[in-house]
Amino acid sequence: MDKLQAMTVFVRVVEAQSFSKAAETLSMPRSSVTAIIKNLEAHLGTPLLRRSTRTLSLTDAGARYFASCQAILSEIARAENDLSVEVAQLRGRVRVDMPGLIGRSIVLPRLREFEARFPDIDLVLGLSDRPADLIYDGIDCVIRTGELIDSTLVARRLGQLNWITCASPRYLSLHGEPESVSALQGHRVVNYIANATGRPLDWRFSVDGETVVMTMTSRFAVNETEAYLQCGLEGLGLIQLSEFAAFPYLQSGRLKEVLTNARCLPVPVSILYPDGRNATAALKAFVGWIIEITGPALSR
């Protein structure tokens, strides 16, 4: 027996003072209403209603049960209404983890815009090059670069990062500009340490349509994008990073791209979050906003 349905039917019969009227308002056959009340009384082991040809009244047990049913159904309605209001107003907290560069360059400058559009959504932003685990770290969604492994998460493409090789004018004036990928062996580089593995990332190039992967030795290595960029600006060696990160320094002349004919394939940028059944309205709103603001910046 569906107890919630039985309570609803019982309350409606009492309020309408008629099986027929209750059946009409519930869009149910009268026979179904009658059967539900009989089954409910049998389940409870006591009569709830006194019936006659003209009147319908509650027994003492029925009166007590009616009051309890009203309270329960009212509480359910309140809970559903509160949730509907929450969804309509898009309120709640969203915890996000993203690469520091994307957070500082794209997201943080647009937070006032987000607040104006979604005043009841609180954001907790984690900016780090170290990948976060949604479940272990209590994160609602993450922005990640690179190819994604299969998972139960929803992945939405935000754009791509074009990787380039560059150096400062100071470095190039001292060591010259490499004319080919093979010439890199005679140059100094700065390596980037992957937080996931603790090892330097390989350097990748595209030469005559083929991907060339090189493991470079270096005197300096760091594990954070801003620090890596600073090493390049200081002339400590060649660096390989996204054009998005290097763009303002290329524009100002503080960095110069080299090996322009050997750029590696772009790296995708995606946002990952639980499937629709587990994603809150606030999270979906944030994802939509992120897709909107990152598209132009990550399509360069």
Side-chain angles (χ1 to χ4, degrees):
M1 181 180 64
D2 186 333
K3 292 182 181 180
L4 183 60
Q5 181 193 47
M7 288 181 179
T8 302
V9 171
F10 173 64
V11 169
R12 191 65 59 87
V13 168
V14 174
E15 291 175 342
Q17 285 294 293
S18 166
F19 279 70
S20 298
K21 290 181 180 179
E24 186 177 326
T25 60
L26 291 168
S27 299
M28 296 173 64
R30 187 186 188 285
S31 58
S32 297
V33 171
T34 301
I36 288 172
I37 296 301
K38 286 183 178 179
N39 290 336
L40 179 61
E41 290 178 322
H43 172 73
L44 295 174
T46 184
L48 300 174
L49 297 168
R50 298 188 187 93
R51 307 165 180 83
S52 69
T53 55
R54 293 187 178 182
T55 62
L56 190 68
S57 61
L58 289 166
T59 64
D60 290 341
R64 294 194 301 272
Y65 190 69
F66 176 70
S68 297
C69 288
Q70 279 188 313
I72 292 170
L73 295 174
S74 176
E75 186 64 22
I76 291 173
R78 186 195 64 77
E80 292 179 342
N81 182 67
D82 288 349
L83 183 59
S84 297
V85 170
E86 179 180 336
V87 171
Q89 294 183 354
L90 293 174
R91 66 174 69 242
R93 175 171 292 181
V94 178
R95 296 173 176 83
V96 190
D97 188 82
M98 65 186 70
L101 175 67
I102 292 176
R104 286 186 290 269
S105 301
I106 301 177
V107 179
L108 295 183
R110 306 288 292 272
L111 283 184
R112 289 190 182 276
E113 172 191 320
F114 181 87
E115 182 182 26
R117 190 184 303 185
F118 307 109
D120 294 315
I121 297 179
D122 299 329
L123 292 182
V124 179
L125 303 178
L127 277 61
S128 172
D129 290 347
R130 183 181 299 276
D133 183 278
L134 268 74
I135 297 176
Y136 182 81
D137 296 318
I139 305 297
D140 296 306
C141 64
V142 296
I143 296 176
R144 288 179 177 160
T145 62
E147 297 298 331
L148 303 173
I149 61 174
D150 293 336
S151 74
T152 58
L153 300 175
V154 176
R156 300 283 299 275
R157 181 77 173 263
L158 298 179
Q160 64 184 31
L161 294 175
N162 298 308
W163 239 247
I164 66 172
T165 307
C166 54
S168 70
R170 178 189 303 179
Y171 174 86
L172 296 176
S173 67
L174 292 174
H175 304 280
E177 182 175 333
E179 297 181 358
S180 65
V181 171
S182 59
L184 285 176
Q185 297 297 345
H187 279 265
R188 298 179 61 175
V189 305
V190 180
N191 271 326
Y192 184 91
I193 303 297
N195 283 290
T197 64
R199 296 178 298 191
L201 291 176
D202 289 329
W203 289 50
R204 297 178 180 271
F205 303 90
S206 180
V207 179
D208 297 328
E210 298 289 333
T211 298
V212 175
V213 180
M214 300 179 65
T215 299
M216 307 292 290
T217 57
S218 66
R219 177 173 296 176
F220 302 106
V222 297
N223 68 345
E224 196 270 335
T225 301
E226 290 293 325
Y228 188 62
L229 174 61
Q230 191 62 36
C231 288
L233 294 172
E234 293 296 330
L236 297 177
L238 294 162
I239 58 175
Q240 195 172 63
L241 76 168
S242 69
E243 184 182 18
F244 174 73
F247 182 74
Y249 303 98
L250 296 172
Q251 291 288 92
S252 66
R254 296 185 65 190
L255 287 177
K256 179 183 178 182
E257 182 180 2
V258 299
L259 300 173
T260 56
N261 294 325
R263 279 191 173 190
C264 63
L265 295 176
V267 174
V269 181
S270 309
I271 185 167
L272 292 86
Y273 57 97
D275 63 36
R277 293 169 297 177
N278 297 313
T280 65
L283 174 56
K284 291 178 181 178
F286 175 78
V287 170
W289 180 74
I290 280 291
I291 292 173
E292 177 185 324
I293 69 169
T294 54
L298 296 179
S299 62
R300 176 180 295 130

